[in-house]
Amino acid sequence: MTAPAMARSRHPTLAAWLAWQEQAHARPIDLGLDRVAQVADRLQLRPAGVPVITVGGTNGKGSTVAMLEAIYQAAGYRVGCYTSPHLIHYNERIRIDGLPVPDSPICEAFEAIDRARGEISLSYFEFGTLAALWLFHRERVDVMVLEVGLGGRLDAVNILDADVAVVTAVGIDHQAFLGDDRESIGFEKAGIFRSGRVAVCGDADPPGRLLAHGARIGSRLLLAGRDFAPLTGLRMDTWQYRGAGLVLEGLPAPALSGGVQYRNAASAITAVLSLRERLPVTQEAVGQGLTAARLPGRFQLLQEAPALWVDVAHNPQGAESLAMNLLGVPCRGRTLAVMGVMADKDVNGIVQPLLDVMRGWHVAAPRTERALGASQLATCLATLTQQPVQSHGSVIQACQAALAEAGPEDRVIVFGSFYTVAEVLQGDFSGPPR
């Protein structure tokens, strides 16, 4: 009698798995916890067994997650970190000890999930979330840092009860799923809070429904400005954190660019201090983490003379932060924009904060079916600004044209979408436009 044959994998490569997942579920975005929770329980992924920090918010999530990850690594802990979306490689979404997990283990996770789910259909994001949790469980991480994909209350990462939930800034985005105003969106973000556990809010003006929900379920709310704050300007090269009954002096500036990063750093430190009895962290590790944190595509300088910056700002709040960052970096010449956005975004809201900064616009459609056409974007811009607007056949062509126009003292800023920035990070944008 021969041994039973091993079950064959549904797909041989990570690329094949991902292509199948994109088509396998009826709706690309399908918020809800029932299906993904059932599969998680079949895989015995709940409870997590280690401290969990879940980070949500409209903007600042990725930066806060990057700092949390780096701080815990500096403290010597094995960190499992799950983020989305990725810029270039899917593996960026699932990291252990700061390194993207290779293709083979992710495929193993997908196979285990596929076997466990039976007839339950899962979305692309749900497969990825379960894969991250499966890998973190197998690799015995010390702490999980999970970034919400969309909203919070019904997002797949919310199947785990967060020991500390962090909501960064709350702005207007994804209205079709979350609501048309900050109050509705804030309520969805607050869905990651848990009764009796710490809930950190880094928004300087938190929505009332977020606060009310936290109070109603009995979360231990810690609010920026009331319970913790970053104090800058005390010395040129350091800053001070106050919160959680402590004062941390002489902290180094965050390596991530932009003044808003002090607020994100303060939220991250508050989360770390809230877990210090289970995961002790020294001030030295906090400082090392702040200077070690890296996050591609967030106000990132790629070259000088002319300067080329990229930023994934894709909503009005992100554009406001980008405008502040640009004003905070001296530029003797002009600032030229390269912009590409998704069709469902608030173009007017994104452009308005940047009108006084930009002196020319180059627009294109990123390579995705969700993109707004270049001619449509150019038409919209023409109604908002007297500055010249040029339309191009691709993001790379737009970037090349902007760089060709720019003098050595000018700068070019590429923004509007993760897709737009990713094309520039991967592309050959030097030389004259094609």
Side-chain angles (χ1 to χ4, degrees):
M1 190 172 176
T2 59
M6 293 290 290
R8 294 183 61 186
S9 172
R10 181 185 293 272
H11 300 289
T13 65
L14 178 58
W17 270 109
L18 297 175
W20 174 74
Q21 289 170 21
E22 288 176 345
Q23 304 297 325
H25 193 66
R27 290 187 289 178
I29 298 176
D30 193 5
L31 297 178
L33 303 182
D34 290 345
R35 291 174 294 100
V36 67
Q38 286 184 58
V39 181
D41 289 339
R42 293 178 185 180
L43 292 165
Q44 299 183 321
L45 299 178
R46 302 195 303 173
V50 299
V52 174
I53 303 175
T54 302
V55 182
T58 307
N59 294 291
K61 291 181 298 183
S63 299
T64 303
V65 165
M67 286 188 260
L68 284 166
E69 179 184 29
I71 288 169
Y72 279 121
Q73 277 190 263
Y77 294 109
R78 187 164 171 77
V79 186
C81 189
Y82 176 58
T83 63
S84 65
H86 60 277
L87 269 173
I88 299 174
H89 301 294
Y90 183 88
N91 313 64
E92 299 166 24
R93 295 178 178 228
I94 308 174
R95 299 190 296 276
I96 297 176
D97 289 337
L99 299 175
V101 174
D103 288 10
S104 180
I106 297 176
C107 289
E108 290 181 56
F110 286 157
E111 289 169 18
I113 295 161
D114 196 31
R115 290 194 297 269
R117 71 181 180 87
E119 298 302 314
I120 297 174
S121 180
L122 297 170
S123 69
Y124 178 94
F125 184 77
E126 290 166 341
F127 257 102
T129 302
L130 290 169
L133 301 183
W134 188 88
L135 288 163
F136 297 161
H137 179 79
R138 188 178 76 168
E139 297 300 318
R140 300 181 181 276
V141 300
D142 298 313
V143 58
M144 298 184 190
V145 181
L146 310 177
E147 179 184 352
V148 171
L150 178 61
R153 182 174 63 92
L154 299 176
D155 187 84
V157 302
N158 205 32
I159 60 171
L160 290 187
D161 292 327
D163 294 279
V164 177
V166 180
V167 172
T168 56
V170 179
I172 305 297
D173 204 359
H174 301 295
Q175 296 95 311
F177 298 97
L178 306 180
D180 293 328
D181 54 66
R182 289 184 76 243
E183 290 298 324
S184 300
I185 294 171
F187 173 76
E188 294 294 332
K189 306 291 185 188
I192 63 174
F193 296 168
R194 292 296 188 271
S195 175
R197 301 187 182 183
V198 170
V200 178
C201 182
D203 195 300
D205 181 24
R209 290 190 65 188
L210 178 147
L211 299 177
H213 178 73
R216 183 169 57 252
I217 68 172
S219 295
R220 294 162 53 199
L221 278 169
L222 299 177
L223 305 181
R226 186 191 75 179
D227 301 300
F228 66 92
L231 300 179
T232 59
L234 302 177
R235 286 180 51 187
M236 290 295 293
D237 55 345
T238 64
W239 62 288
Q240 182 185 94
Y241 167 88
R242 290 185 180 178
L246 296 173
V247 175
L248 304 183
E249 298 181 343
L251 291 170
L256 300 177
S257 299
V260 72
Q261 298 301 347
Y262 289 93
R263 185 175 66 190
N264 293 331
S267 295
I269 293 170
T270 303
V272 167
L273 293 177
S274 298
L275 286 173
R276 62 185 181 273
E277 290 186 3
R278 297 174 66 184
L279 298 171
V281 173
T282 65
Q283 180 171 336
E284 180 183 12
V286 170
Q288 289 175 354
L290 295 178
T291 56
R294 297 290 185 273
L295 193 61
R298 275 68 167 187
F299 201 54
Q300 180 183 359
L301 179 65
L302 300 184
Q303 72 169 51
E304 300 271 12
L308 176 62
W309 294 82
V310 294
D311 193 284
V312 295
H314 57 277
N315 54 47
Q317 192 177 48
E320 290 173 7
S321 293
L322 174 57
M324 291 176 60
N325 288 339
L326 288 169
L327 291 171
V329 176
C331 176
R332 298 178 65 179
R334 301 170 299 160
T335 300
L336 303 176
V338 173
M339 184 179 182
V341 299
M342 299 298 100
D344 62 343
K345 296 301 178 181
D346 177 5
V347 175
N348 287 15
I350 295 171
V351 170
Q352 287 291 345
L354 294 161
L355 289 176
D356 292 337
V357 181
M358 303 303 180
R359 295 296 176 266
W361 300 78
H362 294 263
V363 302
R367 293 192 300 264
T368 171
E369 293 179 357
R370 294 174 51 208
L372 181 67
S375 60
Q376 294 171 275
L377 179 54
T379 299
C380 182
L381 276 166
T383 67
L384 298 171
T385 178
Q386 299 299 312
Q387 303 293 342
V389 179
Q390 298 181 47
S391 178
H392 302 274
S394 72
V395 170
I396 295 301
Q397 291 174 10
C399 192
Q400 289 174 325
L403 289 170
E405 178 185 343
E409 294 186 341
D410 296 332
R411 63 183 172 188
V412 173
I413 174 68
V414 180
F415 72 99
S417 167
F418 278 82
Y419 290 98
T420 305
V421 169
E423 289 188 35
V424 172
L425 290 177
Q426 296 178 88
D428 178 12
F429 50 80
S430 61
R434 294 193 293 270

mmCIF file of all heavy atoms in Angstrom, residues 123-160:
data_model
loop_
_atom_site.group_PDB
_atom_site.id
_atom_site.type_symbol
_atom_site.label_atom_id
_atom_site.label_comp_id
_atom_site.label_asym_id
_atom_site.label_seq_id
_atom_site.Cartn_x
_atom_site.Cartn_y
_atom_site.Cartn_z
ATOM 1 N N SER A 123 -10.974 37.710 0.250
ATOM 2 C CA SER A 123 -10.438 38.741 -0.635
ATOM 3 C C SER A 123 -8.915 38.717 -0.623
ATOM 4 O O SER A 123 -8.280 38.072 0.225
ATOM 5 C CB SER A 123 -10.937 40.122 -0.194
ATOM 6 O OG SER A 123 -10.339 40.488 1.048
ATOM 7 N N TYR A 124 -8.339 39.438 -1.553
ATOM 8 C CA TYR A 124 -6.878 39.606 -1.652
ATOM 9 C C TYR A 124 -6.301 40.075 -0.324
ATOM 10 O O TYR A 124 -5.318 39.516 0.179
ATOM 11 C CB TYR A 124 -6.625 40.617 -2.765
ATOM 12 C CG TYR A 124 -5.198 41.009 -3.062
ATOM 13 C CD1 TYR A 124 -4.477 40.358 -4.058
ATOM 14 C CD2 TYR A 124 -4.589 42.078 -2.403
ATOM 15 C CE1 TYR A 124 -3.188 40.757 -4.374
ATOM 16 C CE2 TYR A 124 -3.302 42.474 -2.709
ATOM 17 C CZ TYR A 124 -2.604 41.816 -3.697
ATOM 18 O OH TYR A 124 -1.327 42.212 -4.005
ATOM 19 N N PHE A 125 -6.911 41.100 0.278
ATOM 20 C CA PHE A 125 -6.395 41.640 1.526
ATOM 21 C C PHE A 125 -6.559 40.651 2.672
ATOM 22 O O PHE A 125 -5.691 40.537 3.548
ATOM 23 C CB PHE A 125 -7.087 42.962 1.863
ATOM 24 C CG PHE A 125 -6.539 43.635 3.095
ATOM 25 C CD1 PHE A 125 -5.342 44.328 3.048
ATOM 26 C CD2 PHE A 125 -7.219 43.556 4.304
ATOM 27 C CE1 PHE A 125 -4.826 44.941 4.182
ATOM 28 C CE2 PHE A 125 -6.716 44.172 5.441
ATOM 29 C CZ PHE A 125 -5.515 44.858 5.376
ATOM 30 N N GLU A 126 -7.662 39.915 2.676
ATOM 31 C CA GLU A 126 -7.874 38.936 3.740
ATOM 32 C C GLU A 126 -6.867 37.802 3.665
ATOM 33 O O GLU A 126 -6.355 37.341 4.697
ATOM 34 C CB GLU A 126 -9.306 38.407 3.664
ATOM 35 C CG GLU A 126 -10.337 39.448 4.067
ATOM 36 C CD GLU A 126 -11.758 39.068 3.682
ATOM 37 O OE1 GLU A 126 -11.936 38.189 2.807
ATOM 38 O OE2 GLU A 126 -12.689 39.671 4.242
ATOM 39 N N PHE A 127 -6.546 37.334 2.465
ATOM 40 C CA PHE A 127 -5.495 36.329 2.310
ATOM 41 C C PHE A 127 -4.178 36.864 2.881
ATOM 42 O O PHE A 127 -3.473 36.158 3.617
ATOM 43 C CB PHE A 127 -5.310 35.971 0.832
ATOM 44 C CG PHE A 127 -5.929 34.666 0.430
ATOM 45 C CD1 PHE A 127 -7.131 34.634 -0.247
ATOM 46 C CD2 PHE A 127 -5.300 33.468 0.710
ATOM 47 C CE1 PHE A 127 -7.709 33.429 -0.635
ATOM 48 C CE2 PHE A 127 -5.869 32.257 0.324
ATOM 49 C CZ PHE A 127 -7.075 32.242 -0.342
ATOM 50 N N GLY A 128 -3.844 38.096 2.533
ATOM 51 C CA GLY A 128 -2.583 38.668 3.001
ATOM 52 C C GLY A 128 -2.530 38.825 4.503
ATOM 53 O O GLY A 128 -1.500 38.560 5.145
ATOM 54 N N THR A 129 -3.634 39.262 5.100
ATOM 55 C CA THR A 129 -3.680 39.435 6.546
ATOM 56 C C THR A 129 -3.491 38.102 7.262
ATOM 57 O O THR A 129 -2.693 37.986 8.200
ATOM 58 C CB THR A 129 -5.022 40.074 6.959
ATOM 59 O OG1 THR A 129 -5.173 41.326 6.293
ATOM 60 C CG2 THR A 129 -5.086 40.280 8.465
ATOM 61 N N LEU A 130 -4.221 37.086 6.820
ATOM 62 C CA LEU A 130 -4.077 35.767 7.430
ATOM 63 C C LEU A 130 -2.678 35.202 7.224
ATOM 64 O O LEU A 130 -2.131 34.545 8.124
ATOM 65 C CB LEU A 130 -5.129 34.816 6.858
ATOM 66 C CG LEU A 130 -6.572 35.090 7.287
ATOM 67 C CD1 LEU A 130 -7.542 34.258 6.450
ATOM 68 C CD2 LEU A 130 -6.761 34.803 8.767
ATOM 69 N N ALA A 131 -2.088 35.449 6.060
ATOM 70 C CA ALA A 131 -0.724 34.970 5.810
ATOM 71 C C ALA A 131 0.260 35.601 6.792
ATOM 72 O O ALA A 131 1.144 34.919 7.338
ATOM 73 C CB ALA A 131 -0.306 35.276 4.376
ATOM 74 N N ALA A 132 0.109 36.902 7.027
ATOM 75 C CA ALA A 132 0.988 37.574 7.981
ATOM 76 C C ALA A 132 0.835 36.970 9.371
ATOM 77 O O ALA A 132 1.835 36.635 10.038
ATOM 78 C CB ALA A 132 0.683 39.066 8.016
ATOM 79 N N LEU A 133 -0.392 36.788 9.829
ATOM 80 C CA LEU A 133 -0.610 36.233 11.171
ATOM 81 C C LEU A 133 -0.098 34.801 11.266
ATOM 82 O O LEU A 133 0.480 34.400 12.290
ATOM 83 C CB LEU A 133 -2.096 36.297 11.517
ATOM 84 C CG LEU A 133 -2.739 37.693 11.498
ATOM 85 C CD1 LEU A 133 -4.198 37.604 11.930
ATOM 86 C CD2 LEU A 133 -1.975 38.675 12.365
ATOM 87 N N TRP A 134 -0.296 34.026 10.217
ATOM 88 C CA TRP A 134 0.187 32.642 10.194
ATOM 89 C C TRP A 134 1.714 32.598 10.298
ATOM 90 O O TRP A 134 2.274 31.809 11.076
ATOM 91 C CB TRP A 134 -0.286 31.975 8.901
ATOM 92 C CG TRP A 134 -0.045 30.498 8.805
ATOM 93 C CD1 TRP A 134 -0.866 29.498 9.241
ATOM 94 C CD2 TRP A 134 1.082 29.846 8.181
ATOM 95 N NE1 TRP A 134 -0.319 28.265 8.951
ATOM 96 C CE2 TRP A 134 0.876 28.446 8.298
ATOM 97 C CE3 TRP A 134 2.241 30.294 7.551
ATOM 98 C CZ2 TRP A 134 1.779 27.507 7.803
ATOM 99 C CZ3 TRP A 134 3.152 29.367 7.054
ATOM 100 C CH2 TRP A 134 2.920 27.997 7.177
ATOM 101 N N LEU A 135 2.377 33.454 9.564
ATOM 102 C CA LEU A 135 3.842 33.494 9.597
ATOM 103 C C LEU A 135 4.358 34.013 10.938
ATOM 104 O O LEU A 135 5.336 33.502 11.480
ATOM 105 C CB LEU A 135 4.359 34.360 8.447
ATOM 106 C CG LEU A 135 4.218 33.731 7.058
ATOM 107 C CD1 LEU A 135 4.343 34.788 5.969
ATOM 108 C CD2 LEU A 135 5.261 32.635 6.863
ATOM 109 N N PHE A 136 3.700 35.030 11.486
ATOM 110 C CA PHE A 136 4.128 35.549 12.790
ATOM 111 C C PHE A 136 3.975 34.476 13.868
ATOM 112 O O PHE A 136 4.822 34.350 14.762
ATOM 113 C CB PHE A 136 3.309 36.786 13.170
ATOM 114 C CG PHE A 136 3.475 37.953 12.242
ATOM 115 C CD1 PHE A 136 2.520 38.967 12.223
ATOM 116 C CD2 PHE A 136 4.553 38.056 11.378
ATOM 117 C CE1 PHE A 136 2.651 40.053 11.377
ATOM 118 C CE2 PHE A 136 4.696 39.140 10.515
ATOM 119 C CZ PHE A 136 3.734 40.136 10.520
ATOM 120 N N HIS A 137 2.892 33.705 13.780
ATOM 121 C CA HIS A 137 2.680 32.622 14.742
ATOM 122 C C HIS A 137 3.755 31.549 14.583
ATOM 123 O O HIS A 137 4.330 31.085 15.581
ATOM 124 C CB HIS A 137 1.285 32.026 14.533
ATOM 125 C CG HIS A 137 0.961 30.884 15.442
ATOM 126 N ND1 HIS A 137 0.574 31.066 16.751
ATOM 127 C CD2 HIS A 137 0.978 29.539 15.234
ATOM 128 C CE1 HIS A 137 0.372 29.882 17.316
ATOM 129 N NE2 HIS A 137 0.596 28.945 16.412
ATOM 130 N N ARG A 138 4.036 31.166 13.348
ATOM 131 C CA ARG A 138 5.024 30.114 13.117
ATOM 132 C C ARG A 138 6.421 30.550 13.540
ATOM 133 O O ARG A 138 7.197 29.748 14.086
ATOM 134 C CB ARG A 138 5.033 29.706 11.631
ATOM 135 C CG ARG A 138 5.894 28.490 11.366
ATOM 136 C CD ARG A 138 5.872 28.072 9.923
ATOM 137 N NE ARG A 138 6.680 28.934 9.073
ATOM 138 C CZ ARG A 138 7.010 28.663 7.808
ATOM 139 N NH1 ARG A 138 6.552 27.540 7.249
ATOM 140 N NH2 ARG A 138 7.726 29.484 7.094
ATOM 141 N N GLU A 139 6.758 31.801 13.295
ATOM 142 C CA GLU A 139 8.102 32.295 13.601
ATOM 143 C C GLU A 139 8.239 32.801 15.032
ATOM 144 O O GLU A 139 9.296 33.291 15.414
ATOM 145 C CB GLU A 139 8.470 33.418 12.614
ATOM 146 C CG GLU A 139 8.539 32.974 11.169
ATOM 147 C CD GLU A 139 9.564 31.880 10.944
ATOM 148 O OE1 GLU A 139 10.670 31.987 11.527
ATOM 149 O OE2 GLU A 139 9.255 30.910 10.222
ATOM 150 N N ARG A 140 7.182 32.699 15.822
ATOM 151 C CA ARG A 140 7.222 33.026 17.254
ATOM 152 C C ARG A 140 7.758 34.446 17.507
ATOM 153 O O ARG A 140 8.725 34.642 18.248
ATOM 154 C CB ARG A 140 8.039 31.998 18.033
ATOM 155 C CG ARG A 140 7.489 30.585 17.930
ATOM 156 C CD ARG A 140 8.319 29.601 18.728
ATOM 157 N NE ARG A 140 7.813 28.254 18.614
ATOM 158 C CZ ARG A 140 6.816 27.751 19.350
ATOM 159 N NH1 ARG A 140 6.211 28.518 20.253
ATOM 160 N NH2 ARG A 140 6.417 26.502 19.185
ATOM 161 N N VAL A 141 7.135 35.414 16.897
ATOM 162 C CA VAL A 141 7.542 36.799 17.126
ATOM 163 C C VAL A 141 7.177 37.204 18.551
ATOM 164 O O VAL A 141 6.321 36.592 19.204
ATOM 165 C CB VAL A 141 6.887 37.759 16.108
ATOM 166 C CG1 VAL A 141 7.287 37.376 14.684
ATOM 167 C CG2 VAL A 141 5.377 37.790 16.271
ATOM 168 N N ASP A 142 7.814 38.254 19.054
ATOM 169 C CA ASP A 142 7.560 38.757 20.401
ATOM 170 C C ASP A 142 6.435 39.775 20.443
ATOM 171 O O ASP A 142 5.799 39.976 21.482
ATOM 172 C CB ASP A 142 8.826 39.407 20.974
ATOM 173 C CG ASP A 142 9.974 38.431 21.099
ATOM 174 O OD1 ASP A 142 9.760 37.325 21.609
ATOM 175 O OD2 ASP A 142 11.104 38.786 20.677
ATOM 176 N N VAL A 143 6.210 40.458 19.331
ATOM 177 C CA VAL A 143 5.197 41.502 19.262
ATOM 178 C C VAL A 143 4.741 41.622 17.822
ATOM 179 O O VAL A 143 5.527 41.440 16.884
ATOM 180 C CB VAL A 143 5.742 42.853 19.786
ATOM 181 C CG1 VAL A 143 6.977 43.293 19.006
ATOM 182 C CG2 VAL A 143 4.670 43.941 19.771
ATOM 183 N N MET A 144 3.442 41.897 17.637
ATOM 184 C CA MET A 144 2.899 42.131 16.306
ATOM 185 C C MET A 144 2.502 43.594 16.177
ATOM 186 O O MET A 144 1.821 44.134 17.063
ATOM 187 C CB MET A 144 1.667 41.262 16.047
ATOM 188 C CG MET A 144 1.916 39.770 16.079
ATOM 189 S SD MET A 144 0.393 38.859 15.643
ATOM 190 C CE MET A 144 0.891 37.186 16.067
ATOM 191 N N VAL A 145 2.907 44.216 15.072
ATOM 192 C CA VAL A 145 2.506 45.581 14.750
ATOM 193 C C VAL A 145 1.725 45.506 13.443
ATOM 194 O O VAL A 145 2.273 45.145 12.400
ATOM 195 C CB VAL A 145 3.720 46.511 14.607
ATOM 196 C CG1 VAL A 145 3.258 47.936 14.293
ATOM 197 C CG2 VAL A 145 4.569 46.495 15.877
ATOM 198 N N LEU A 146 0.437 45.827 13.507
ATOM 199 C CA LEU A 146 -0.469 45.625 12.380
ATOM 200 C C LEU A 146 -1.039 46.953 11.918
ATOM 201 O O LEU A 146 -1.571 47.722 12.725
ATOM 202 C CB LEU A 146 -1.619 44.701 12.778
ATOM 203 C CG LEU A 146 -1.244 43.388 13.467
ATOM 204 C CD1 LEU A 146 -2.504 42.627 13.852
ATOM 205 C CD2 LEU A 146 -0.360 42.536 12.573
ATOM 206 N N GLU A 147 -0.943 47.225 10.629
ATOM 207 C CA GLU A 147 -1.509 48.446 10.054
ATOM 208 C C GLU A 147 -2.872 48.144 9.446
ATOM 209 O O GLU A 147 -3.015 47.215 8.638
ATOM 210 C CB GLU A 147 -0.586 49.017 8.982
ATOM 211 C CG GLU A 147 -1.127 50.282 8.336
ATOM 212 C CD GLU A 147 -0.247 50.799 7.208
ATOM 213 O OE1 GLU A 147 0.855 50.270 7.006
ATOM 214 O OE2 GLU A 147 -0.686 51.742 6.524
ATOM 215 N N VAL A 148 -3.861 48.927 9.818
ATOM 216 C CA VAL A 148 -5.197 48.795 9.233
ATOM 217 C C VAL A 148 -5.124 49.113 7.746
ATOM 218 O O VAL A 148 -4.469 50.069 7.322
ATOM 219 C CB VAL A 148 -6.178 49.753 9.936
ATOM 220 C CG1 VAL A 148 -7.509 49.804 9.199
ATOM 221 C CG2 VAL A 148 -6.384 49.337 11.391
ATOM 222 N N GLY A 149 -5.814 48.314 6.939
ATOM 223 C CA GLY A 149 -5.837 48.579 5.512
ATOM 224 C C GLY A 149 -6.842 49.653 5.135
ATOM 225 O O GLY A 149 -6.533 50.579 4.396
ATOM 226 N N LEU A 150 -8.059 49.538 5.656
ATOM 227 C CA LEU A 150 -9.133 50.466 5.295
ATOM 228 C C LEU A 150 -10.104 50.580 6.462
ATOM 229 O O LEU A 150 -10.709 49.582 6.878
ATOM 230 C CB LEU A 150 -9.868 49.972 4.043
ATOM 231 C CG LEU A 150 -11.063 50.800 3.553
ATOM 232 C CD1 LEU A 150 -10.626 52.216 3.185
ATOM 233 C CD2 LEU A 150 -11.714 50.124 2.352
ATOM 234 N N GLY A 151 -10.229 51.773 7.003
ATOM 235 C CA GLY A 151 -11.163 52.006 8.095
ATOM 236 C C GLY A 151 -10.625 51.510 9.417
ATOM 237 O O GLY A 151 -9.731 52.093 10.009
ATOM 238 N N GLY A 152 -11.173 50.412 9.903
ATOM 239 C CA GLY A 152 -10.759 49.874 11.186
ATOM 240 C C GLY A 152 -11.765 48.866 11.704
ATOM 241 O O GLY A 152 -11.459 47.689 11.896
ATOM 242 N N ARG A 153 -12.987 49.293 11.925
ATOM 243 C CA ARG A 153 -14.015 48.446 12.537
ATOM 244 C C ARG A 153 -14.199 47.131 11.789
ATOM 245 O O ARG A 153 -14.297 46.062 12.404
ATOM 246 C CB ARG A 153 -15.335 49.220 12.598
ATOM 247 C CG ARG A 153 -16.484 48.481 13.260
ATOM 248 C CD ARG A 153 -17.700 49.383 13.402
ATOM 249 N NE ARG A 153 -18.218 49.820 12.118
ATOM 250 C CZ ARG A 153 -19.172 49.180 11.436
ATOM 251 N NH1 ARG A 153 -19.693 48.062 11.919
ATOM 252 N NH2 ARG A 153 -19.619 49.654 10.274
ATOM 253 N N LEU A 154 -14.246 47.193 10.461
ATOM 254 C CA LEU A 154 -14.504 46.012 9.651
ATOM 255 C C LEU A 154 -13.276 45.561 8.869
ATOM 256 O O LEU A 154 -13.392 44.711 7.976
ATOM 257 C CB LEU A 154 -15.668 46.289 8.685
ATOM 258 C CG LEU A 154 -17.006 46.623 9.344
ATOM 259 C CD1 LEU A 154 -18.052 46.971 8.294
ATOM 260 C CD2 LEU A 154 -17.490 45.465 10.215
ATOM 261 N N ASP A 155 -12.124 46.087 9.181
ATOM 262 C CA ASP A 155 -10.890 45.705 8.493
ATOM 263 C C ASP A 155 -10.397 44.358 9.025
ATOM 264 O O ASP A 155 -10.521 44.062 10.219
ATOM 265 C CB ASP A 155 -9.823 46.769 8.706
ATOM 266 C CG ASP A 155 -8.581 46.517 7.877
ATOM 267 O OD1 ASP A 155 -8.582 46.908 6.698
ATOM 268 O OD2 ASP A 155 -7.615 45.918 8.400
ATOM 269 N N ALA A 156 -9.789 43.569 8.160
ATOM 270 C CA ALA A 156 -9.404 42.199 8.514
ATOM 271 C C ALA A 156 -8.458 42.135 9.712
ATOM 272 O O ALA A 156 -8.519 41.176 10.494
ATOM 273 C CB ALA A 156 -8.772 41.507 7.311
ATOM 274 N N VAL A 157 -7.580 43.117 9.901
ATOM 275 C CA VAL A 157 -6.658 43.045 11.037
ATOM 276 C C VAL A 157 -7.404 43.125 12.361
ATOM 277 O O VAL A 157 -6.869 42.738 13.409
ATOM 278 C CB VAL A 157 -5.561 44.143 10.977
ATOM 279 C CG1 VAL A 157 -4.768 44.049 9.689
ATOM 280 C CG2 VAL A 157 -6.148 45.525 11.161
ATOM 281 N N ASN A 158 -8.639 43.599 12.326
ATOM 282 C CA ASN A 158 -9.409 43.780 13.556
ATOM 283 C C ASN A 158 -9.951 42.472 14.112
ATOM 284 O O ASN A 158 -10.645 42.471 15.140
ATOM 285 C CB ASN A 158 -10.550 44.773 13.319
ATOM 286 C CG ASN A 158 -11.005 45.458 14.597
ATOM 287 O OD1 ASN A 158 -10.213 45.690 15.513
ATOM 288 N ND2 ASN A 158 -12.275 45.795 14.676
ATOM 289 N N ILE A 159 -9.641 41.342 13.479
ATOM 290 C CA ILE A 159 -10.011 40.051 14.067
ATOM 291 C C ILE A 159 -9.189 39.767 15.318
ATOM 292 O O ILE A 159 -9.581 38.929 16.137
ATOM 293 C CB ILE A 159 -9.864 38.884 13.062
ATOM 294 C CG1 ILE A 159 -8.430 38.745 12.573
ATOM 295 C CG2 ILE A 159 -10.847 39.048 11.904
ATOM 296 C CD1 ILE A 159 -8.167 37.498 11.753
ATOM 297 N N LEU A 160 -8.041 40.433 15.466
ATOM 298 C CA LEU A 160 -7.251 40.319 16.691
ATOM 299 C C LEU A 160 -7.584 41.476 17.612
ATOM 300 O O LEU A 160 -7.748 42.617 17.162
ATOM 301 C CB LEU A 160 -5.751 40.321 16.384
ATOM 302 C CG LEU A 160 -5.170 39.098 15.689
ATOM 303 C CD1 LEU A 160 -3.652 39.218 15.623
ATOM 304 C CD2 LEU A 160 -5.566 37.803 16.374
#
